[in-house]
Amino acid sequence: MIELINKLEKEQSLTLAEYEFLIENRNEEAAKILSEKAVEKRKEVYGNDVYIRGLIEISNICKNDCCYCGIRRGNKNCERYRLTKEQILLCCDEGYPLGYRTFVLQGGEDSHFSDDFLCDIITSIKLKYPDCAVTLSLGERSFESYKKLREAGADRYLLRHETADKEHYEKLHPADMSFDNRMECLKNLKKLRFQTGCGFMVGSPYQTSATLAKDLKFIEEFRPEMCGIGPFIPHKDTEFSNFPAGTVELTCYLLSIVRLISPDILLPATTALGSIDSFGREKGILSGANVVMPNLSPEDAKQKYQLYNNKLSSGAEAAANKRMLEERMESIGYKIVTNIGNHKKGN
Ligand code: 5AD
């Protein structure tokens, strides 16, 4: 194990079999060494800085029926909403004076989101806040559509690959969704020079050490600028409602490995991690994460954007409570910074 960790640190790469071994045989000692090395790397590139992103959940209407997700099309108990352009801009107006310099527009695959509609919103945000980055997280779209969004000024795009194993992907998604299209979208985003984020859930149903090894290999080869990794948490209105949640322990272990694969990656301590453990965000940062994404959505949107049971949106998770988040980060030796927080290339 120690040898593998040293190899990973030095070469930023392992074979699939080695990744699998590292996951399968993990223990407290390995986790400790990995997190220490991950923190060392993150400090070389990003110091003690923690970047913040204001998350705006712009719609929970979705044409997809992903088996794990609370806002899946088939969930009749989900009360649907979509924010107007004015409401979205108001979220930015609230976030800017608090120090947010990245706005993440996240939503389901809502067919109301035409290119024109989105480009208009992106242009308006960029006009009003030219020193801010706009990140989109709106699912799969065509190359032409991504191109228009990029030309309108969007800087970054988050599209979790969910799993890098095709068979596993097909167990998490209905037949009308395609692994190949997901991968194609990610490649297109890169081609268009979006700072691109992929990612996956930890402990999703049918996940194994072998599928996780493929996730790690994919990250190693795809070289995303960002990567969202959080525990799977069951949602009561999905067919996965009785599956157990992923663990903090494995999530943090994987965060450390990803930091060693890619020392300069932007790696959030996710809301899901904060939702299953009251100290989850801090544990994520202490494992090598360097980003947090507090929620800037209007209160009733927060209540309705339920991807999983008991999703956190209050306390330090609320963008308005930035001071609380600052204190929590300071208590573990880190500092929230309010610059744009771009990816530091070439490290
Ligand atoms: N548990 C954890 N994460 C989830 N997501 C969706 N549903 C769940 C769940 N039940 C994640 C997916 C998606 C992102 C927006 O939220 O990975 O890409």
Side-chain angles (χ1 to χ4, degrees), residues 46-57:
Y46 293 102
N48 291 332
D49 293 355
V50 173
Y51 294 149
I52 49 170
R53 319 299 194 196
L55 179 68
I56 309 173
E57 296 156 335

Side-chain angles (χ1 to χ4, degrees), residues 229-240:
I229 302 175
F232 160 75
I233 304 173
H235 185 287
K236 60 179 175 34
D237 299 320
T238 63
E239 62 203 78
F240 289 165

Side-chain angles (χ1 to χ4, degrees), residues 44-88:
E44 277 172 25
V45 185
Y46 293 102
N48 291 332
D49 293 355
V50 173
Y51 294 149
I52 49 170
R53 319 299 194 196
L55 179 68
I56 309 173
E57 296 156 335
I58 66 174
S59 168
N60 69 354
I61 299 169
C62 192
K63 70 173 170 60
N64 294 327
D65 216 18
C66 306
C67 308
Y68 45 85
C69 184
I71 65 167
R72 60 187 304 194
R73 174 184 76 218
N75 183 7
K76 300 283 175 286
N77 296 327
C78 174
E79 214 185 303
R80 307 289 166 169
Y81 75 91
R82 175 190 303 127
L83 301 187
T84 62
K85 175 186 172 188
E86 290 67 33
Q87 284 176 305
I88 295 169

Side-chain angles (χ1 to χ4, degrees), residues 68-69 106 160 162 201 231-233 307-308:
Y68 45 85
C69 184
Q106 185 176 90
R160 289 191 176 180
E162 309 298 357
M201 294 176 288
F232 160 75
I233 304 173
L307 302 177
Y308 43 81

